Amino acid sequence: KTINVRVEIGFDFLRMNDVMKILKEENATILNQAFDNRCQLTFSVRKNRIGKIFAHLEKIEGMSIKMEEVFYS
């Protein structure tokens, strides 16, 4: 079993490439997405990778991060 974390983030559309690159590098799974001027994206990732992802995402201007839940798979 692995421990995963579900996270919801919000960011400006202009930051899309930066966000997607980070999520791809850390093998995050995108669960839901809504793109407009302000994008909302929900993803899951292994718990042991979440610190690194947060460190990168927090550097992006206008980023909002909400950790939703921890689950086992």
Side-chain angles (χ1 to χ4, degrees), residues 31-60:
L31 304 173
N32 192 13
Q33 54 193 10
F35 302 129
D36 202 353
N37 289 337
R38 181 90 178 146
C39 302
Q40 293 293 119
L41 192 143
T42 305
F43 67 91
S44 69
V45 69
R46 286 186 171 195
K47 187 179 177 186
N48 64 355
R49 295 180 183 264
I50 198 67
K52 190 172 180 183
I53 288 178
F54 279 5
H56 288 298
L57 291 176
E58 288 172 345
K59 295 177 186 174
I60 297 175

Side-chain angles (χ1 to χ4, degrees), residues 59-72:
K59 295 177 186 174
I60 297 175
E61 186 178 335
M63 175 66 64
S64 65
I65 303 171
K66 176 183 161 192
M67 193 155 81
E68 292 190 338
E69 65 180 290
V70 176
F71 62 96
Y72 301 91

Side-chain angles (χ1 to χ4, degrees), residues 1 3 9 11 16 25 30 39 44 48-49 64-65 73:
K1 280 189 173 182
I3 302 172
I9 58 175
F11 53 93
M16 175 68 68
E25 287 175 355
I30 296 172
C39 302
S44 69
N48 64 355
R49 295 180 183 264
S64 65
I65 303 171
S73 63

Side-chain angles (χ1 to χ4, degrees), residues 2-19:
T2 60
I3 302 172
N4 293 320
V5 179
R6 183 175 296 145
V7 180
E8 182 179 306
I9 58 175
F11 53 93
D12 294 330
F13 184 78
L14 296 174
R15 303 289 181 220
M16 175 68 68
N17 287 342
D18 299 331
V19 170

